[in-house]
Each structure stands twice: as structure tokens, then as C-alpha cells.
Amino acid sequence: MKFIVALVVLVWLGLNCHADTALPLLSGFDSARLAKCYPIRDTDSAGEAAKLIYRLRKANPNTLKKLATALPKEIGSATVGDVFEVEGKLEKIRQYEVPGDLSDYLDLDQFQELVFSESPLGDVSLLVPPLDGKASREDRVASTAMLLYQDDKRVVFAAGDAAWFPTLASNEGIRLLTSAGVDASGIAAAATRNRRKLEAADGETFYSMLGATTQLVTGESLPEPKPLEPIALLEFPEEHHGDWIRMRAATVRITKVNVTDETRRQQLGQDHYFQIDSSGDLGKTMVKLKRPEGEPIEMSGKYPISLVSLRLPEFLESEFESEQTVVQMISAPVRIDGFFYRLWSYRNEFIDQRGGGSQIGPLIVVARWQRIEPPRGDDGGIALLGYLMAGGVILAIVSTFIWSRRNAVVDAKLREKQREIDVIWAKRRQAESTRTSTSR
């Protein structure tokens, strides 16, 4: 009986300490080659570590998560290549340069070694691409990472990315979002894509912010948002990324966007969200939009604002559901509380007719809605915005769909690039092997 109990305990311990290996996902890497990645003493080891990070960055994150287990207090029985959920507070950051002949192939100029403090495993560090944003000591970092190296003094992991949760956020919105599990480095990275279309790189942060709104509005009471006018986001977007803001707007058109990817559905907690095309008041400010050729396009009075929301308020939902369509023109003056994502560009008939190419406007993730009464004699800018968007309805509606489709194309191109790099590395190894054989 004692033997059976002991056997059960040993099996239980094994299950709780075991992690599956990531080696099958890392083309060209085995245990011997991983040994060349750390410690990083010269350009050769830096190059090998950079290649490993590249491989991990291209690996399917969902597959890696399925392989991972929680990090145990004792890791001596683990083997290099095993995958764990790693988390810790930053103690310091070491920076390494990627050798020049590799940086173009890997699309990586540098990588970092994040050293954690107060780990039960002793000295623990994580090799990753550079964090986006200004990380500081005591900030929390989390990652699905592979065990790369361990000895009596240290344990080293490697990963294709890491989530960053700052102790002192740059604004109230980022503090709220990171408390709900949104990666602050994703918000910082989005700021570098201002005035561009939605891209594959936007996906994780965009859906995370949308999903976080449910947790935030049903949790503890939220602080008062920062009142802002649209012009503030147009003139100084870099000051407000992730910011918790309040703004008046007038809805013009509501589109129900279906989400087909299962991972994104899990992030949202449902299979759709809503895109609300609306207008904001510019006051007396004149906005000039540059064109590829000719004089700038001038806009005054009202300006297009894009809102996205997991749910519609009751006063909009009842009207939207009265018709069995995914797109409806609904005009209502509203006050919204939400998070500024970034400026984005999209096709617009009004701009197209004037040779402008794309409309640039704020994209805001809405958490709370309130209906307001318009001033007497004010149509809320609906007529103007209806004109601005008339004829361009189809282009605006499918913008998010095109974004999703583009993600698949980008993934295909990345896989093709990876295959080309595999061939190059294989030829290099073959050449090195031939030279070694010849010298012997």
C-alpha cells in the first residue's frame, strides 16, 4: 500500500514539473546547437541566440502555450527545450547587438536579456526581442518561454516575445488596461503605426483592449476619464495612446463585424464586435489632409471618428436589431468613455474623389456609452458626415475584413521568407562541413 501511495506521489510530481519540448518547432535546432546560444560571449553566440529568438518569434504562439506548464519552484529535472510560463519582476536589462550579416535576414537589430529579481529559482533571465516602451526596474514581465540554459548559479529562458506590465504607467488608461492583462508593449508598438492601415501586428493589442473593456466595466469603479476633443488626438496622438478619455460624438453608421478566429473569439468572449462610424466636433479648427499631389484637403466643423465596442448600449441596440442587417445608418448624439488606440487610415469616397488616397482618423475602443440631447437646431453633424461617407460605405465596412485577410497573406509571406532563410543556413552549414572535411 505504501508503495502504491509513493508511486502516485511520484507520478503527480512528474506531471506537475513536466513541460513539453519546443524543439520540433525550431527548424535546424537541436540540443547541441542550443548549447551554442548561451552564455553569450562573442558574435558567434550572439548570432546563434538571435536565430533562436527568430525561430521562437515565428512559432505558433497557441502551439507554444499548449506545450507550456507553470514554472515550478524546482527546475532541476527539466531539460533544455522544455516550455514554461515564465513571469518575474525586472532587475536589469542587458542589450546585445545582432551581427550585421544576420540582422536583415532576421529583421532584428538587437535582442535583450531581461534579468528577474527575487526568483525562487535563483538568478533567472529571459532572452527576447527588445520590449516596446520604457521598461523600468520592478516592472512585471511575462512570457511563454523555452528553457535554454541552467547551471548551479542561473536559469536562462528564451522567447519570441514578452508581455510588459509597468509599475508606473504613463497614463491612467494604460494602468487600467494592464490591470486587465493588456500588454503595455503592444500599446507602445501601436503608437509607431500611426496613420497607417490596421496591420497583422495590430491584432493582439486591438483584440486584447476590446476584451478588457468587459472586465473593467464590470469590476471596480472606474476613475473619471480625461475629457478630450478630436483635435487633440489628431494633433498630438503620441501623448494619448492607451489614454482613458471621454468624448462627444454623433453616430452615423453601425457595422456588426463577425470574428472567425477562435483565439480572437476567446479574447473577446464572443464572436463579434461593432464598428461605429461617427463624427466629432472640430470647433473652429480647420484640418488639412495632405494629398499625394495638389493642395491639401480642408475639413472643418465635423470630423470622422471610428469607434469599436463589444456591445451597443440599449438605445442603439434596439434600433440596430430592429432590422436584420449587419450594417445600419443610425444617428444618435452620444458621450463615450474609452481608450484611444491610434490614428488609422482607411478608404473614404469623399477623400477618393479629391485624390487624397485615405482618410486618417482616431480609432477608439469604447467601454461606456451615454446618450445626450443635441443642442437645438443642431443635427449633430449627421448630414455632413453622411455626405462624407456616402458612396464609400462598402469600402469602410470591409476595411476590417480586408485587415483580417491581409493577416493571412502576411503570414504566408513570412513562412516563405523563413523557408528561404532555412535554405541559406543549410547551404552555410553544408559549406562549413565541406571545408572541415577538406582541411582534415
Side-chain angles (χ1 to χ4, degrees):
M1 183 67 180
K2 290 182 179 180
F3 172 77
I4 295 175
V5 172
L7 182 60
V8 170
V9 170
L10 286 173
V11 170
W12 184 87
L13 288 172
L15 289 174
N16 282 272
C17 295
H18 175 70
D20 288 327
T21 180
L23 285 178
L25 306 177
L26 308 176
S27 176
F29 277 91
D30 54 20
S31 298
R33 191 174 176 192
L34 289 176
K36 300 177 181 178
C37 297
Y38 199 91
I40 301 172
R41 299 190 179 95
D42 50 31
T43 56
D44 289 340
S45 54
E48 286 297 294
K51 293 173 188 176
L52 173 62
I53 291 171
Y54 171 85
R55 289 294 186 199
L56 288 166
R57 189 166 58 175
K58 300 306 178 186
N60 188 312
N62 295 326
T63 302
L64 283 173
K65 282 189 175 296
K66 290 178 181 178
L67 297 175
T69 61
L71 193 62
K73 293 183 179 180
E74 296 290 338
I75 200 171
S77 60
T79 59
V80 170
D82 288 352
V83 185
F84 297 94
E85 295 295 347
V86 178
E87 183 176 332
K89 290 184 178 180
L90 277 178
E91 175 68 26
K92 57 185 174 182
I93 299 177
R94 299 188 182 110
Q95 198 94 352
Y96 298 98
E97 297 292 326
V98 176
D101 60 336
L102 286 175
S103 59
D104 290 339
Y105 288 117
L106 305 181
D107 192 24
L108 188 69
D109 295 325
Q110 298 175 328
F111 63 92
Q112 295 176 334
E113 182 176 2
L114 310 180
V115 182
F116 296 154
S117 62
E118 302 176 1
S119 170
L121 298 178
D123 292 338
V124 174
S125 60
L126 173 67
L127 300 184
V128 288
L131 293 176
D132 289 296
K134 298 179 180 178
S136 302
R137 188 178 181 187
E138 294 298 304
D139 288 354
R140 186 168 63 89
V141 173
S143 179
T144 303
M146 184 196 76
L147 178 63
L148 175 61
Y149 176 90
Q150 66 172 323
D151 58 22
D152 295 337
K153 297 181 179 179
R154 75 187 80 177
V155 180
V156 182
F157 298 90
D161 59 19
W164 165 52
F165 306 94
T167 303
L168 298 174
S170 58
N171 61 53
E172 187 66 27
I174 292 178
R175 185 191 70 79
L176 289 171
L177 289 168
T178 53
S179 72
V182 178
D183 176 13
S185 65
I187 300 174
T192 66
R193 296 187 292 272
N194 268 325
R195 300 177 178 83
R196 284 157 47 179
K197 297 178 182 179
L198 287 177
E199 303 172 6
D202 286 294
E204 183 63 28
T205 304
F206 178 84
Y207 285 104
S208 293
M209 288 175 66
L210 259 174
T213 58
T214 298
Q215 177 180 337
L216 291 170
V217 297
T218 56
E220 60 181 78
S221 58
L222 294 171
E224 280 295 297
K226 180 189 301 182
L228 279 184
E229 300 297 334
I231 192 64
L233 301 180
L234 294 171
E235 289 186 327
F236 309 107
E238 65 282 351
E239 297 180 7
H240 299 291
H241 288 287
D243 218 347
W244 175 233
I245 63 174
R246 173 169 291 169
M247 185 175 292
R248 288 174 176 258
T251 67
V252 177
R253 181 179 60 236
I254 300 178
T255 305
K256 184 178 181 179
V257 181
N258 290 319
V259 178
T260 58
D261 184 88
E262 185 57 36
T263 300
R264 300 310 184 198
R265 287 182 173 186
Q266 290 176 6
Q267 285 178 292
L268 300 182
Q270 59 190 50
D271 63 2
H272 66 277
Y273 66 91
F274 296 93
Q275 178 177 321
I276 303 94
D277 300 310
S278 61
S279 68
D281 191 0
L282 289 177
K284 298 180 180 179
T285 304
M286 174 76 72
V287 175
K288 294 185 178 182
L289 299 177
K290 293 182 179 180
R291 296 191 300 168
E293 296 180 359
E295 294 296 318
I297 299 172
E298 295 183 349
M299 301 182 68
S300 62
K302 304 293 180 180
Y303 195 88
I305 299 173
S306 299
L307 310 175
V308 290
S309 180
L310 278 184
R311 295 171 182 82
L312 296 176
E314 184 177 350
F315 62 87
L316 290 178
E317 183 180 30
S318 58
E319 189 169 352
F320 184 84
E321 292 185 348
S322 64
E323 301 288 340
Q324 299 298 316
T325 60
V326 296
V327 182
Q328 286 196 51
M329 306 297 287
I330 299 178
S331 61
V334 296
R335 188 184 74 182
I336 59 101
D337 296 341
F339 301 94
F340 174 53
Y341 182 58
R342 69 172 175 90
L343 296 181
W344 74 307
S345 70
Y346 54 96
R347 298 295 299 277
N348 180 287
E349 182 74 9
F350 176 80
I351 301 298
D352 279 351
Q353 290 178 352
R354 288 153 181 78
S358 297
Q359 173 74 56
I360 304 295
L363 180 57
I364 299 171
V365 179
V366 180
R368 296 190 303 204
W369 297 81
Q370 181 179 346
R371 186 167 195 166
I372 58 177
E373 294 299 324
R376 290 184 178 181
D378 183 8
D379 66 357
I382 304 304
L384 175 60
L385 257 292
Y387 171 69
L388 290 177
M389 297 176 177
V393 173
I394 300 301
L395 290 173
I397 291 171
V398 302
S399 59
T400 306
F401 173 76
I402 293 174
W403 169 47
S404 300
R405 301 290 293 180
R406 189 186 299 117
N407 289 354
V409 174
V410 169
D411 289 343
K413 289 181 178 179
L414 289 175
R415 287 193 295 270
E416 180 61 29
K417 182 178 179 181
Q418 183 169 329
R419 282 194 290 269
E420 291 175 358
I421 293 174
D422 287 342
V423 172
I424 292 171
W425 287 349
K427 289 181 178 178
R428 286 185 178 180
R429 288 196 295 270
Q430 185 176 2
E432 291 174 358
S433 176
T434 302
R435 284 197 298 270
T436 302
S437 300
T438 302
S439 64
R440 290 177 180 175

